[in-house]
Structures are given as C-alpha cells and as structure tokens.
Amino acid sequence: MRIARFLALGLAAALVTSGCASEPEPSLEKAAAELQKDTQRLETDDVFKNPLNKLRILQRPDEDIPCGEGKFKRVLRATADDERKTSDIDSHLDMAQRIMHTTLSQVMNYKMEANLDQVDALEGRFMRGSKDIGIVVDVHVAPESPTWRLRAETVCLPR
C-alpha cells in the first residue's frame, strides 16, 4: 500500500512539473500592448505628468525591433528630472529612488529586484524590475540631470 501511495505521489508531482514546463511563451502582441500601457501609465502618473519633472519619451514601444532568429522586441526609453531640493546627494538619490520604485511597483505593476549593494551609492542607483508577460525595466537614478533614465523592453519574442 505504501508503494502505491508513493507511486501516486510521484506521478502527481511529475504531472504538476510537466504542466509548469508547458506554459506558453509570452506573445509579442501581448507584451507590446502591456508596454504601450506602461507608457500611458508613466505619462499619466501624478509625479511624472507634472511639467516640472520634464518627462521625455525618447522612444515609444510602437515599432518591432529585430532580435534575430525571427524574433522581435519593443522598447520604451524615457527620462525625467527631479529638481534637487537639498545639497545632500544621498538624500536626493534616496527620494528619487523611492519615487521610481513606487511608480514601477504600484502604478505599473513591476516586480522589483532588491539591490542592497547600492544603498548609499553617491554616483547613482540602478533599479531592475520585470513582468511575467516578458518585459524587463532598468532605471538609472542619477545625481545629475536627468534624474531618471528608464529603459523598458520586451524580451525577444516571435511575432
């Protein structure tokens, strides 16, 4: 009886594992649509719609960029500025990093990676996040203008 239960549990585990492995790859169409929404979310966010923050969309994700092997990606590039309100660079970077982290995680729904190595880096901070749909975002928070340099892109996907 124990052997039968063991085999049944083993078979169930194998089925669950194989089910996870057969999940479909994200589609370029869905990932591109989500990246377009992210552009709109950024433009309408309370912080970044303020003209003082000088949001500039440098590249809109409306063009397929070839990656090779019949795959393509979409890219969003943007900058924005946060006027420094203090001479303390660390405080300025901390605040700018918190603002961008909140926007990416709560407004745009990215899963953000923690990077404790840069907690007090005065030369700038790097942030990375992702979405399961196949989008990765990288942000450099700089002590000089523009404060935020954002690049979000889909992974290389077939059309």
Side-chain angles (χ1 to χ4, degrees), residues 95-134:
M95 178 62 80
Q97 185 175 6
R98 274 193 301 277
I99 289 169
M100 184 55 73
H101 187 279
T102 300
T103 299
L104 291 172
S105 63
Q106 294 179 11
V107 176
M108 299 169 74
N109 301 312
Y110 280 90
K111 294 177 190 164
M112 301 304 294
E113 296 176 9
N115 188 347
L116 300 177
D117 293 340
Q118 321 177 40
V119 172
D120 292 320
L122 297 179
E123 64 277 2
R125 318 278 170 79
F126 291 94
M127 303 171 67
R128 178 166 262 245
S130 63
K131 290 186 178 186
D132 292 339
I133 195 164

PDB file of all heavy atoms in Angstrom, residues 95-134:
ATOM      1  N   MET A  95      15.345  59.688  -2.203  1.00  0.00           N
ATOM      2  CA  MET A  95      13.978  60.112  -2.518  1.00  0.00           C
ATOM      3  C   MET A  95      13.621  59.762  -3.965  1.00  0.00           C
ATOM      4  O   MET A  95      12.547  59.216  -4.235  1.00  0.00           O
ATOM      5  CB  MET A  95      13.822  61.617  -2.287  1.00  0.00           C
ATOM      6  CG  MET A  95      12.438  62.130  -2.648  1.00  0.00           C
ATOM      7  SD  MET A  95      11.125  61.406  -1.657  1.00  0.00           S
ATOM      8  CE  MET A  95      11.268  62.378  -0.194  1.00  0.00           C
ATOM      9  N   ALA A  96      14.520  60.047  -4.880  1.00  0.00           N
ATOM     10  CA  ALA A  96      14.264  59.751  -6.295  1.00  0.00           C
ATOM     11  C   ALA A  96      14.105  58.244  -6.521  1.00  0.00           C
ATOM     12  O   ALA A  96      13.249  57.809  -7.298  1.00  0.00           O
ATOM     13  CB  ALA A  96      15.394  60.314  -7.162  1.00  0.00           C
ATOM     14  N   GLN A  97      14.895  57.458  -5.834  1.00  0.00           N
ATOM     15  CA  GLN A  97      14.795  56.003  -5.954  1.00  0.00           C
ATOM     16  C   GLN A  97      13.455  55.514  -5.403  1.00  0.00           C
ATOM     17  O   GLN A  97      12.796  54.674  -6.005  1.00  0.00           O
ATOM     18  CB  GLN A  97      15.955  55.332  -5.221  1.00  0.00           C
ATOM     19  CG  GLN A  97      15.989  53.838  -5.407  1.00  0.00           C
ATOM     20  CD  GLN A  97      17.223  53.210  -4.772  1.00  0.00           C
ATOM     21  OE1 GLN A  97      18.006  53.872  -4.087  1.00  0.00           O
ATOM     22  NE2 GLN A  97      17.401  51.931  -4.992  1.00  0.00           N
ATOM     23  N   ARG A  98      13.029  56.048  -4.265  1.00  0.00           N
ATOM     24  CA  ARG A  98      11.735  55.662  -3.684  1.00  0.00           C
ATOM     25  C   ARG A  98      10.577  56.025  -4.610  1.00  0.00           C
ATOM     26  O   ARG A  98       9.642  55.250  -4.792  1.00  0.00           O
ATOM     27  CB  ARG A  98      11.536  56.327  -2.315  1.00  0.00           C
ATOM     28  CG  ARG A  98      12.129  55.553  -1.168  1.00  0.00           C
ATOM     29  CD  ARG A  98      11.644  56.069   0.185  1.00  0.00           C
ATOM     30  NE  ARG A  98      11.941  57.466   0.444  1.00  0.00           N
ATOM     31  CZ  ARG A  98      13.098  57.917   0.911  1.00  0.00           C
ATOM     32  NH1 ARG A  98      14.076  57.091   1.168  1.00  0.00           N
ATOM     33  NH2 ARG A  98      13.283  59.199   1.126  1.00  0.00           N
ATOM     34  N   ILE A  99      10.645  57.213  -5.189  1.00  0.00           N
ATOM     35  CA  ILE A  99       9.583  57.647  -6.103  1.00  0.00           C
ATOM     36  C   ILE A  99       9.485  56.679  -7.283  1.00  0.00           C
ATOM     37  O   ILE A  99       8.395  56.215  -7.635  1.00  0.00           O
ATOM     38  CB  ILE A  99       9.839  59.088  -6.601  1.00  0.00           C
ATOM     39  CG1 ILE A  99       9.602  60.080  -5.463  1.00  0.00           C
ATOM     40  CG2 ILE A  99       8.957  59.422  -7.806  1.00  0.00           C
ATOM     41  CD1 ILE A  99      10.074  61.495  -5.765  1.00  0.00           C
ATOM     42  N   MET A 100      10.616  56.363  -7.894  1.00  0.00           N
ATOM     43  CA  MET A 100      10.589  55.481  -9.059  1.00  0.00           C
ATOM     44  C   MET A 100      10.186  54.068  -8.664  1.00  0.00           C
ATOM     45  O   MET A 100       9.431  53.406  -9.387  1.00  0.00           O
ATOM     46  CB  MET A 100      11.954  55.474  -9.756  1.00  0.00           C
ATOM     47  CG  MET A 100      11.976  54.646 -11.024  1.00  0.00           C
ATOM     48  SD  MET A 100      10.730  55.068 -12.278  1.00  0.00           S
ATOM     49  CE  MET A 100      11.367  56.601 -12.914  1.00  0.00           C
ATOM     50  N   HIS A 101      10.649  53.587  -7.526  1.00  0.00           N
ATOM     51  CA  HIS A 101      10.276  52.248  -7.067  1.00  0.00           C
ATOM     52  C   HIS A 101       8.762  52.163  -6.874  1.00  0.00           C
ATOM     53  O   HIS A 101       8.123  51.191  -7.292  1.00  0.00           O
ATOM     54  CB  HIS A 101      11.002  51.906  -5.771  1.00  0.00           C
ATOM     55  CG  HIS A 101      10.808  50.492  -5.332  1.00  0.00           C
ATOM     56  ND1 HIS A 101       9.685  50.075  -4.649  1.00  0.00           N
ATOM     57  CD2 HIS A 101      11.572  49.389  -5.510  1.00  0.00           C
ATOM     58  CE1 HIS A 101       9.775  48.786  -4.407  1.00  0.00           C
ATOM     59  NE2 HIS A 101      10.908  48.342  -4.924  1.00  0.00           N
ATOM     60  N   THR A 102       8.181  53.184  -6.259  1.00  0.00           N
ATOM     61  CA  THR A 102       6.736  53.209  -6.039  1.00  0.00           C
ATOM     62  C   THR A 102       5.985  53.230  -7.370  1.00  0.00           C
ATOM     63  O   THR A 102       5.017  52.494  -7.555  1.00  0.00           O
ATOM     64  CB  THR A 102       6.348  54.432  -5.180  1.00  0.00           C
ATOM     65  OG1 THR A 102       7.024  54.334  -3.928  1.00  0.00           O
ATOM     66  CG2 THR A 102       4.850  54.501  -4.957  1.00  0.00           C
ATOM     67  N   THR A 103       6.432  54.051  -8.290  1.00  0.00           N
ATOM     68  CA  THR A 103       5.776  54.134  -9.598  1.00  0.00           C
ATOM     69  C   THR A 103       5.848  52.800 -10.325  1.00  0.00           C
ATOM     70  O   THR A 103       4.839  52.309 -10.848  1.00  0.00           O
ATOM     71  CB  THR A 103       6.413  55.243 -10.456  1.00  0.00           C
ATOM     72  OG1 THR A 103       6.248  56.493  -9.783  1.00  0.00           O
ATOM     73  CG2 THR A 103       5.777  55.319 -11.834  1.00  0.00           C
ATOM     74  N   LEU A 104       7.026  52.204 -10.356  1.00  0.00           N
ATOM     75  CA  LEU A 104       7.184  50.942 -11.082  1.00  0.00           C
ATOM     76  C   LEU A 104       6.417  49.803 -10.424  1.00  0.00           C
ATOM     77  O   LEU A 104       5.773  49.012 -11.113  1.00  0.00           O
ATOM     78  CB  LEU A 104       8.667  50.573 -11.198  1.00  0.00           C
ATOM     79  CG  LEU A 104       9.493  51.466 -12.111  1.00  0.00           C
ATOM     80  CD1 LEU A 104      10.971  51.116 -11.996  1.00  0.00           C
ATOM     81  CD2 LEU A 104       9.025  51.363 -13.555  1.00  0.00           C
ATOM     82  N   SER A 105       6.472  49.713  -9.110  1.00  0.00           N
ATOM     83  CA  SER A 105       5.846  48.569  -8.445  1.00  0.00           C
ATOM     84  C   SER A 105       4.345  48.740  -8.242  1.00  0.00           C
ATOM     85  O   SER A 105       3.587  47.792  -8.443  1.00  0.00           O
ATOM     86  CB  SER A 105       6.531  48.280  -7.106  1.00  0.00           C
ATOM     87  OG  SER A 105       6.381  49.358  -6.216  1.00  0.00           O
ATOM     88  N   GLN A 106       3.898  49.935  -7.886  1.00  0.00           N
ATOM     89  CA  GLN A 106       2.487  50.108  -7.548  1.00  0.00           C
ATOM     90  C   GLN A 106       1.633  50.630  -8.702  1.00  0.00           C
ATOM     91  O   GLN A 106       0.474  50.267  -8.819  1.00  0.00           O
ATOM     92  CB  GLN A 106       2.353  51.025  -6.341  1.00  0.00           C
ATOM     93  CG  GLN A 106       2.947  50.395  -5.097  1.00  0.00           C
ATOM     94  CD  GLN A 106       2.855  51.299  -3.888  1.00  0.00           C
ATOM     95  OE1 GLN A 106       2.179  52.320  -3.899  1.00  0.00           O
ATOM     96  NE2 GLN A 106       3.543  50.931  -2.823  1.00  0.00           N
ATOM     97  N   VAL A 107       2.185  51.467  -9.541  1.00  0.00           N
ATOM     98  CA  VAL A 107       1.420  52.032 -10.650  1.00  0.00           C
ATOM     99  C   VAL A 107       1.535  51.145 -11.894  1.00  0.00           C
ATOM    100  O   VAL A 107       0.555  50.894 -12.584  1.00  0.00           O
ATOM    101  CB  VAL A 107       1.890  53.472 -10.975  1.00  0.00           C
ATOM    102  CG1 VAL A 107       1.173  54.033 -12.184  1.00  0.00           C
ATOM    103  CG2 VAL A 107       1.699  54.374  -9.762  1.00  0.00           C
ATOM    104  N   MET A 108       2.753  50.659 -12.162  1.00  0.00           N
ATOM    105  CA  MET A 108       2.994  49.907 -13.395  1.00  0.00           C
ATOM    106  C   MET A 108       3.086  48.394 -13.167  1.00  0.00           C
ATOM    107  O   MET A 108       3.235  47.641 -14.109  1.00  0.00           O
ATOM    108  CB  MET A 108       4.253  50.451 -14.071  1.00  0.00           C
ATOM    109  CG  MET A 108       4.097  51.924 -14.448  1.00  0.00           C
ATOM    110  SD  MET A 108       5.616  52.736 -14.975  1.00  0.00           S
ATOM    111  CE  MET A 108       5.847  52.043 -16.586  1.00  0.00           C
ATOM    112  N   ASN A 109       3.016  47.966 -11.919  1.00  0.00           N
ATOM    113  CA  ASN A 109       2.962  46.538 -11.545  1.00  0.00           C
ATOM    114  C   ASN A 109       4.188  45.707 -11.916  1.00  0.00           C
ATOM    115  O   ASN A 109       4.071  44.547 -12.299  1.00  0.00           O
ATOM    116  CB  ASN A 109       1.697  45.889 -12.122  1.00  0.00           C
ATOM    117  CG  ASN A 109       0.451  46.568 -11.628  1.00  0.00           C
ATOM    118  OD1 ASN A 109       0.305  46.801 -10.432  1.00  0.00           O
ATOM    119  ND2 ASN A 109      -0.431  46.932 -12.539  1.00  0.00           N
ATOM    120  N   TYR A 110       5.367  46.273 -11.775  1.00  0.00           N
ATOM    121  CA  TYR A 110       6.609  45.515 -11.973  1.00  0.00           C
ATOM    122  C   TYR A 110       7.010  44.852 -10.662  1.00  0.00           C
ATOM    123  O   TYR A 110       6.793  45.408  -9.581  1.00  0.00           O
ATOM    124  CB  TYR A 110       7.751  46.441 -12.424  1.00  0.00           C
ATOM    125  CG  TYR A 110       7.695  46.770 -13.892  1.00  0.00           C
ATOM    126  CD1 TYR A 110       6.983  47.872 -14.351  1.00  0.00           C
ATOM    127  CD2 TYR A 110       8.354  45.983 -14.831  1.00  0.00           C
ATOM    128  CE1 TYR A 110       6.918  48.183 -15.692  1.00  0.00           C
ATOM    129  CE2 TYR A 110       8.302  46.287 -16.177  1.00  0.00           C
ATOM    130  CZ  TYR A 110       7.584  47.384 -16.601  1.00  0.00           C
ATOM    131  OH  TYR A 110       7.523  47.688 -17.936  1.00  0.00           O
ATOM    132  N   LYS A 111       7.606  43.684 -10.760  1.00  0.00           N
ATOM    133  CA  LYS A 111       8.217  43.030  -9.607  1.00  0.00           C
ATOM    134  C   LYS A 111       9.652  43.549  -9.553  1.00  0.00           C
ATOM    135  O   LYS A 111      10.450  43.285 -10.448  1.00  0.00           O
ATOM    136  CB  LYS A 111       8.218  41.509  -9.782  1.00  0.00           C
ATOM    137  CG  LYS A 111       6.835  40.913  -9.781  1.00  0.00           C
ATOM    138  CD  LYS A 111       6.908  39.425 -10.028  1.00  0.00           C
ATOM    139  CE  LYS A 111       5.509  38.888 -10.276  1.00  0.00           C
ATOM    140  NZ  LYS A 111       5.542  37.562 -10.876  1.00  0.00           N
ATOM    141  N   MET A 112       9.961  44.275  -8.513  1.00  0.00           N
ATOM    142  CA  MET A 112      11.270  44.916  -8.414  1.00  0.00           C
ATOM    143  C   MET A 112      12.271  44.024  -7.699  1.00  0.00           C
ATOM    144  O   MET A 112      11.926  43.344  -6.735  1.00  0.00           O
ATOM    145  CB  MET A 112      11.139  46.255  -7.684  1.00  0.00           C
ATOM    146  CG  MET A 112      10.200  47.241  -8.365  1.00  0.00           C
ATOM    147  SD  MET A 112      10.620  47.594 -10.077  1.00  0.00           S
ATOM    148  CE  MET A 112      12.183  48.439  -9.868  1.00  0.00           C
ATOM    149  N   GLU A 113      13.499  44.030  -8.194  1.00  0.00           N
ATOM    150  CA  GLU A 113      14.590  43.283  -7.563  1.00  0.00           C
ATOM    151  C   GLU A 113      15.234  44.168  -6.499  1.00  0.00           C
ATOM    152  O   GLU A 113      15.391  45.375  -6.701  1.00  0.00           O
ATOM    153  CB  GLU A 113      15.652  42.901  -8.601  1.00  0.00           C
ATOM    154  CG  GLU A 113      15.157  41.961  -9.665  1.00  0.00           C
ATOM    155  CD  GLU A 113      16.218  41.680 -10.723  1.00  0.00           C
ATOM    156  OE1 GLU A 113      17.394  42.069 -10.544  1.00  0.00           O
ATOM    157  OE2 GLU A 113      15.860  41.074 -11.741  1.00  0.00           O
ATOM    158  N   ALA A 114      15.609  43.558  -5.410  1.00  0.00           N
ATOM    159  CA  ALA A 114      16.314  44.297  -4.358  1.00  0.00           C
ATOM    160  C   ALA A 114      17.801  44.290  -4.669  1.00  0.00           C
ATOM    161  O   ALA A 114      18.355  43.285  -5.090  1.00  0.00           O
ATOM    162  CB  ALA A 114      16.065  43.642  -3.008  1.00  0.00           C
ATOM    163  N   ASN A 115      18.447  45.442  -4.485  1.00  0.00           N
ATOM    164  CA  ASN A 115      19.884  45.534  -4.701  1.00  0.00           C
ATOM    165  C   ASN A 115      20.473  46.339  -3.545  1.00  0.00           C
ATOM    166  O   ASN A 115      20.588  47.561  -3.615  1.00  0.00           O
ATOM    167  CB  ASN A 115      20.189  46.196  -6.051  1.00  0.00           C
ATOM    168  CG  ASN A 115      21.661  46.137  -6.378  1.00  0.00           C
ATOM    169  OD1 ASN A 115      22.491  45.838  -5.531  1.00  0.00           O
ATOM    170  ND2 ASN A 115      21.985  46.444  -7.612  1.00  0.00           N
ATOM    171  N   LEU A 116      20.842  45.637  -2.503  1.00  0.00           N
ATOM    172  CA  LEU A 116      21.332  46.299  -1.298  1.00  0.00           C
ATOM    173  C   LEU A 116      22.760  46.809  -1.432  1.00  0.00           C
ATOM    174  O   LEU A 116      23.228  47.564  -0.582  1.00  0.00           O
ATOM    175  CB  LEU A 116      21.218  45.336  -0.112  1.00  0.00           C
ATOM    176  CG  LEU A 116      19.790  44.852   0.184  1.00  0.00           C
ATOM    177  CD1 LEU A 116      19.789  43.853   1.333  1.00  0.00           C
ATOM    178  CD2 LEU A 116      18.869  46.017   0.482  1.00  0.00           C
ATOM    179  N   ASP A 117      23.459  46.430  -2.504  1.00  0.00           N
ATOM    180  CA  ASP A 117      24.837  46.886  -2.707  1.00  0.00           C
ATOM    181  C   ASP A 117      24.926  48.385  -2.969  1.00  0.00           C
ATOM    182  O   ASP A 117      25.973  48.987  -2.793  1.00  0.00           O
ATOM    183  CB  ASP A 117      25.486  46.143  -3.884  1.00  0.00           C
ATOM    184  CG  ASP A 117      25.677  44.667  -3.596  1.00  0.00           C
ATOM    185  OD1 ASP A 117      25.670  44.280  -2.405  1.00  0.00           O
ATOM    186  OD2 ASP A 117      25.830  43.891  -4.560  1.00  0.00           O
ATOM    187  N   GLN A 118      23.839  48.990  -3.421  1.00  0.00           N
ATOM    188  CA  GLN A 118      23.889  50.395  -3.821  1.00  0.00           C
ATOM    189  C   GLN A 118      23.160  51.329  -2.873  1.00  0.00           C
ATOM    190  O   GLN A 118      22.879  52.464  -3.234  1.00  0.00           O
ATOM    191  CB  GLN A 118      23.226  50.572  -5.181  1.00  0.00           C
ATOM    192  CG  GLN A 118      23.461  49.543  -6.169  1.00  0.00           C
ATOM    193  CD  GLN A 118      22.642  49.881  -7.402  1.00  0.00           C
ATOM    194  OE1 GLN A 118      22.529  51.027  -7.805  1.00  0.00           O
ATOM    195  NE2 GLN A 118      22.072  48.889  -7.996  1.00  0.00           N
ATOM    196  N   VAL A 119      22.856  50.885  -1.699  1.00  0.00           N
ATOM    197  CA  VAL A 119      22.019  51.666  -0.791  1.00  0.00           C
ATOM    198  C   VAL A 119      22.507  53.105  -0.643  1.00  0.00           C
ATOM    199  O   VAL A 119      21.721  54.036  -0.687  1.00  0.00           O
ATOM    200  CB  VAL A 119      21.921  50.973   0.591  1.00  0.00           C
ATOM    201  CG1 VAL A 119      21.232  51.855   1.592  1.00  0.00           C
ATOM    202  CG2 VAL A 119      21.188  49.659   0.450  1.00  0.00           C
ATOM    203  N   ASP A 120      23.775  53.322  -0.509  1.00  0.00           N
ATOM    204  CA  ASP A 120      24.297  54.674  -0.327  1.00  0.00           C
ATOM    205  C   ASP A 120      25.243  55.101  -1.440  1.00  0.00           C
ATOM    206  O   ASP A 120      26.071  55.998  -1.245  1.00  0.00           O
ATOM    207  CB  ASP A 120      25.015  54.782   1.025  1.00  0.00           C
ATOM    208  CG  ASP A 120      24.041  54.682   2.188  1.00  0.00           C
ATOM    209  OD1 ASP A 120      22.958  55.261   2.088  1.00  0.00           O
ATOM    210  OD2 ASP A 120      24.364  54.016   3.181  1.00  0.00           O
ATOM    211  N   ALA A 121      25.129  54.516  -2.620  1.00  0.00           N
ATOM    212  CA  ALA A 121      25.999  54.869  -3.738  1.00  0.00           C
ATOM    213  C   ALA A 121      25.710  56.296  -4.191  1.00  0.00           C
ATOM    214  O   ALA A 121      24.594  56.620  -4.584  1.00  0.00           O
ATOM    215  CB  ALA A 121      25.798  53.889  -4.889  1.00  0.00           C
ATOM    216  N   LEU A 122      26.701  57.148  -4.138  1.00  0.00           N
ATOM    217  CA  LEU A 122      26.517  58.558  -4.484  1.00  0.00           C
ATOM    218  C   LEU A 122      26.621  58.811  -5.982  1.00  0.00           C
ATOM    219  O   LEU A 122      26.204  59.864  -6.462  1.00  0.00           O
ATOM    220  CB  LEU A 122      27.535  59.420  -3.740  1.00  0.00           C
ATOM    221  CG  LEU A 122      27.420  59.398  -2.215  1.00  0.00           C
ATOM    222  CD1 LEU A 122      28.490  60.277  -1.589  1.00  0.00           C
ATOM    223  CD2 LEU A 122      26.033  59.820  -1.775  1.00  0.00           C
ATOM    224  N   GLU A 123      27.176  57.853  -6.720  1.00  0.00           N
ATOM    225  CA  GLU A 123      27.299  58.026  -8.168  1.00  0.00           C
ATOM    226  C   GLU A 123      26.011  57.679  -8.910  1.00  0.00           C
ATOM    227  O   GLU A 123      25.892  57.882 -10.108  1.00  0.00           O
ATOM    228  CB  GLU A 123      28.464  57.203  -8.738  1.00  0.00           C
ATOM    229  CG  GLU A 123      28.310  55.706  -8.604  1.00  0.00           C
ATOM    230  CD  GLU A 123      28.738  55.164  -7.239  1.00  0.00           C
ATOM    231  OE1 GLU A 123      29.131  55.940  -6.352  1.00  0.00           O
ATOM    232  OE2 GLU A 123      28.656  53.938  -7.082  1.00  0.00           O
ATOM    233  N   GLY A 124      25.034  57.146  -8.202  1.00  0.00           N
ATOM    234  CA  GLY A 124      23.747  56.805  -8.794  1.00  0.00           C
ATOM    235  C   GLY A 124      23.292  55.429  -8.344  1.00  0.00           C
ATOM    236  O   GLY A 124      24.054  54.678  -7.737  1.00  0.00           O
ATOM    237  N   ARG A 125      22.055  55.108  -8.651  1.00  0.00           N
ATOM    238  CA  ARG A 125      21.473  53.827  -8.254  1.00  0.00           C
ATOM    239  C   ARG A 125      20.881  53.164  -9.493  1.00  0.00           C
ATOM    240  O   ARG A 125      20.343  53.839 -10.373  1.00  0.00           O
ATOM    241  CB  ARG A 125      20.360  54.027  -7.219  1.00  0.00           C
ATOM    242  CG  ARG A 125      20.663  55.047  -6.128  1.00  0.00           C
ATOM    243  CD  ARG A 125      21.510  54.475  -5.008  1.00  0.00           C
ATOM    244  NE  ARG A 125      22.002  55.482  -4.097  1.00  0.00           N
ATOM    245  CZ  ARG A 125      21.327  56.059  -3.118  1.00  0.00           C
ATOM    246  NH1 ARG A 125      20.066  55.760  -2.907  1.00  0.00           N
ATOM    247  NH2 ARG A 125      21.901  56.949  -2.338  1.00  0.00           N
ATOM    248  N   PHE A 126      20.975  51.871  -9.540  1.00  0.00           N
ATOM    249  CA  PHE A 126      20.384  51.106 -10.630  1.00  0.00           C
ATOM    250  C   PHE A 126      19.242  50.274 -10.088  1.00  0.00           C
ATOM    251  O   PHE A 126      19.363  49.655  -9.034  1.00  0.00           O
ATOM    252  CB  PHE A 126      21.423  50.207 -11.305  1.00  0.00           C
ATOM    253  CG  PHE A 126      22.458  50.982 -12.062  1.00  0.00           C
ATOM    254  CD1 PHE A 126      23.658  51.324 -11.456  1.00  0.00           C
ATOM    255  CD2 PHE A 126      22.218  51.388 -13.358  1.00  0.00           C
ATOM    256  CE1 PHE A 126      24.607  52.056 -12.142  1.00  0.00           C
ATOM    257  CE2 PHE A 126      23.160  52.130 -14.052  1.00  0.00           C
ATOM    258  CZ  PHE A 126      24.358  52.460 -13.443  1.00  0.00           C
ATOM    259  N   MET A 127      18.143  50.267 -10.828  1.00  0.00           N
ATOM    260  CA  MET A 127      16.961  49.515 -10.423  1.00  0.00           C
ATOM    261  C   MET A 127      16.573  48.591 -11.575  1.00  0.00           C
ATOM    262  O   MET A 127      16.746  48.945 -12.736  1.00  0.00           O
ATOM    263  CB  MET A 127      15.802  50.468 -10.134  1.00  0.00           C
ATOM    264  CG  MET A 127      16.114  51.501  -9.076  1.00  0.00           C
ATOM    265  SD  MET A 127      14.828  52.773  -8.955  1.00  0.00           S
ATOM    266  CE  MET A 127      13.475  51.803  -8.346  1.00  0.00           C
ATOM    267  N   ARG A 128      16.041  47.424 -11.221  1.00  0.00           N
ATOM    268  CA  ARG A 128      15.605  46.464 -12.231  1.00  0.00           C
ATOM    269  C   ARG A 128      14.302  45.836 -11.770  1.00  0.00           C
ATOM    270  O   ARG A 128      14.122  45.510 -10.611  1.00  0.00           O
ATOM    271  CB  ARG A 128      16.652  45.384 -12.424  1.00  0.00           C
ATOM    272  CG  ARG A 128      16.231  44.326 -13.442  1.00  0.00           C
ATOM    273  CD  ARG A 128      17.428  43.505 -13.830  1.00  0.00           C
ATOM    274  NE  ARG A 128      17.910  44.056 -15.077  1.00  0.00           N
ATOM    275  CZ  ARG A 128      17.903  43.386 -16.216  1.00  0.00           C
ATOM    276  NH1 ARG A 128      17.528  42.160 -16.267  1.00  0.00           N
ATOM    277  NH2 ARG A 128      18.312  43.942 -17.328  1.00  0.00           N
ATOM    278  N   GLY A 129      13.398  45.671 -12.722  1.00  0.00           N
ATOM    279  CA  GLY A 129      12.125  45.030 -12.455  1.00  0.00           C
ATOM    280  C   GLY A 129      11.690  44.224 -13.661  1.00  0.00           C
ATOM    281  O   GLY A 129      12.283  44.318 -14.737  1.00  0.00           O
ATOM    282  N   SER A 130      10.645  43.438 -13.472  1.00  0.00           N
ATOM    283  CA  SER A 130      10.167  42.612 -14.582  1.00  0.00           C
ATOM    284  C   SER A 130       8.684  42.312 -14.412  1.00  0.00           C
ATOM    285  O   SER A 130       8.106  42.484 -13.345  1.00  0.00           O
ATOM    286  CB  SER A 130      10.953  41.302 -14.652  1.00  0.00           C
ATOM    287  OG  SER A 130      10.744  40.553 -13.471  1.00  0.00           O
ATOM    288  N   LYS A 131       8.101  41.872 -15.514  1.00  0.00           N
ATOM    289  CA  LYS A 131       6.721  41.385 -15.542  1.00  0.00           C
ATOM    290  C   LYS A 131       6.750  40.013 -16.192  1.00  0.00           C
ATOM    291  O   LYS A 131       7.508  39.775 -17.139  1.00  0.00           O
ATOM    292  CB  LYS A 131       5.822  42.310 -16.366  1.00  0.00           C
ATOM    293  CG  LYS A 131       5.572  43.651 -15.726  1.00  0.00           C
ATOM    294  CD  LYS A 131       4.571  44.439 -16.538  1.00  0.00           C
ATOM    295  CE  LYS A 131       4.294  45.771 -15.869  1.00  0.00           C
ATOM    296  NZ  LYS A 131       3.216  46.497 -16.550  1.00  0.00           N
ATOM    297  N   ASP A 132       5.904  39.110 -15.699  1.00  0.00           N
ATOM    298  CA  ASP A 132       5.852  37.746 -16.217  1.00  0.00           C
ATOM    299  C   ASP A 132       5.477  37.694 -17.690  1.00  0.00           C
ATOM    300  O   ASP A 132       5.767  36.725 -18.371  1.00  0.00           O
ATOM    301  CB  ASP A 132       4.849  36.898 -15.420  1.00  0.00           C
ATOM    302  CG  ASP A 132       5.316  36.646 -13.999  1.00  0.00           C
ATOM    303  OD1 ASP A 132       6.540  36.754 -13.750  1.00  0.00           O
ATOM    304  OD2 ASP A 132       4.471  36.353 -13.142  1.00  0.00           O
ATOM    305  N   ILE A 133       4.876  38.731 -18.190  1.00  0.00           N
ATOM    306  CA  ILE A 133       4.435  38.761 -19.583  1.00  0.00           C
ATOM    307  C   ILE A 133       5.620  38.896 -20.551  1.00  0.00           C
ATOM    308  O   ILE A 133       5.469  38.798 -21.750  1.00  0.00           O
ATOM    309  CB  ILE A 133       3.398  39.883 -19.792  1.00  0.00           C
ATOM    310  CG1 ILE A 133       2.659  39.698 -21.102  1.00  0.00           C
ATOM    311  CG2 ILE A 133       4.042  41.239 -19.702  1.00  0.00           C
ATOM    312  CD1 ILE A 133       1.399  40.516 -21.209  1.00  0.00           C
ATOM    313  N   GLY A 134       6.819  39.126 -20.015  1.00  0.00           N
ATOM    314  CA  GLY A 134       8.014  39.208 -20.853  1.00  0.00           C
ATOM    315  C   GLY A 134       8.544  40.615 -21.033  1.00  0.00           C
ATOM    316  O   GLY A 134       9.021  40.983 -22.100  1.00  0.00           O
TER     317      GLY A 134
END
